[in-house]
Amino acid sequence: MSDEGFRIVSAHDTLFADVEAVFGTRGDPAHCWCQWYKIPGSEWRLTDDELRDRLAEQVAEPATNAGLVAYDGQTPVGWCAIEPRSHLPRLRTKRIVRDGSRRPDLDDPGVWALTCFVVPREHRRRGVAAALAAGAVEHARANGARIVEGYAIDPAVRAKVPAADLFVGTVSMFAGAGFVEVARPTPARAVMEIVLAE
């Protein structure tokens, strides 16, 4: 897959070292490793290394469809988490999903969630996340998704959004990938959806 000049690759089909290069060793990505929605809060006691190892196991297993890596040439420049919503138990407790999703069956394997973007600081403001969002739609479609949801933040409503809060993506970025807003559970958070098949 390619968009905006970036090459988008399933994490299963690339080196985990490239995923590690995107997540880095500092900041929220290096302390979460896209496990936040996968581990119930009562079990959130793993070390950074254990979280990294869990992601490594997930991307090694093709059936998990854990995420995508964006490349600029040979350089890994971004990551997004895209997989069936049923793989993400913590989403069950999130107000934005509970109050905003038009798809209440959280066990439906045809509903996928685009939950997280990681773009290292030196690669930001170049369209990496937008390319990943578009690539995630195609990846989900190719793997049998009927619906993809995102839980975006709206910087136009919430002034001075810290970079750490943008990991969910923005309303405009999702809209650019073909998503439409279907709910606004809070003033600054929107449920975005794209229907791939009914």
Side-chain angles (χ1 to χ4, degrees), residues 37-115:
Y37 292 115
K38 296 180 181 184
I39 301 173
S42 61
E43 299 176 22
W44 189 258
R45 296 183 183 92
L46 300 176
T47 67
D48 294 350
D49 288 343
E50 290 170 324
L51 293 169
R52 183 197 62 233
D53 292 347
R54 281 178 63 106
L55 182 60
E57 290 170 10
Q58 291 156 7
V59 299
E61 173 56 53
T64 63
N65 291 300
L68 304 173
V69 178
Y71 288 87
D72 182 0
Q74 297 302 310
T75 304
V77 295
W79 155 274
C80 74
I82 175 72
E83 60 189 299
R85 192 176 62 174
S86 58
H87 294 179
L88 307 168
R90 196 181 280 209
L91 277 182
R92 296 175 185 278
T93 65
K94 294 300 175 192
R95 178 181 169 206
I96 191 166
V97 177
R98 193 176 59 243
D99 296 349
S101 177
R102 297 191 311 172
R103 316 295 170 172
D105 180 1
L106 295 174
D107 294 317
D108 182 344
V111 179
W112 286 40
L114 178 51
T115 56

